[in-house]
Amino acid sequence: MEKKKNDYSVIVFLENETKPKKWVYVHKLNGFSMFLDQKHPTWLYMNVYERRTRKYIKRFQKGEFIPPFIQN
């Protein structure tokens, strides 16, 4: 089986921002949430999508447990 790499697209909603930010090539979700905590500490939640099909997978709130990968 082929290794999973950059399987997610993520849209992040920030406090006091009208427009969300989007990242297209996200590999590990837990590492991405640590990046958000560091660089964008006002983030509220993120919607995770399957990058290749653009299918919505799940929403994570700030402070929740976020796994590296989502099992489908």
Side-chain angles (χ1 to χ4, degrees):
M1 187 172 141
E2 188 179 314
K3 277 190 177 181
K4 294 185 180 212
K5 187 78 173 158
N6 302 325
D7 280 343
Y8 305 109
S9 293
V10 179
I11 297 177
V12 179
F13 295 81
L14 304 163
E15 191 175 349
N16 300 324
E17 297 264 341
T18 55
K19 194 171 180 184
K21 292 187 181 272
K22 182 177 182 182
W23 283 266
V24 179
Y25 298 101
V26 176
H27 183 54
K28 288 188 178 180
L29 295 172
N30 59 349
F32 182 71
S33 70
M34 287 187 266
F35 158 78
L36 287 176
D37 288 339
Q38 198 173 51
K39 299 291 183 184
H40 302 280
T42 62
W43 75 280
L44 300 171
Y45 62 92
M46 64 177 171
N47 291 338
V48 180
Y49 300 85
E50 198 174 286
R51 181 178 63 83
R52 290 171 183 86
T53 64
R54 298 181 179 172
K55 180 181 156 202
Y56 172 79
I57 301 173
K58 189 168 182 174
R59 173 178 288 174
F60 291 103
Q61 305 280 336
K62 183 176 183 170
E64 279 184 352
F65 170 74
I66 300 173
F69 303 102
I70 299 172
Q71 301 299 325
N72 292 344

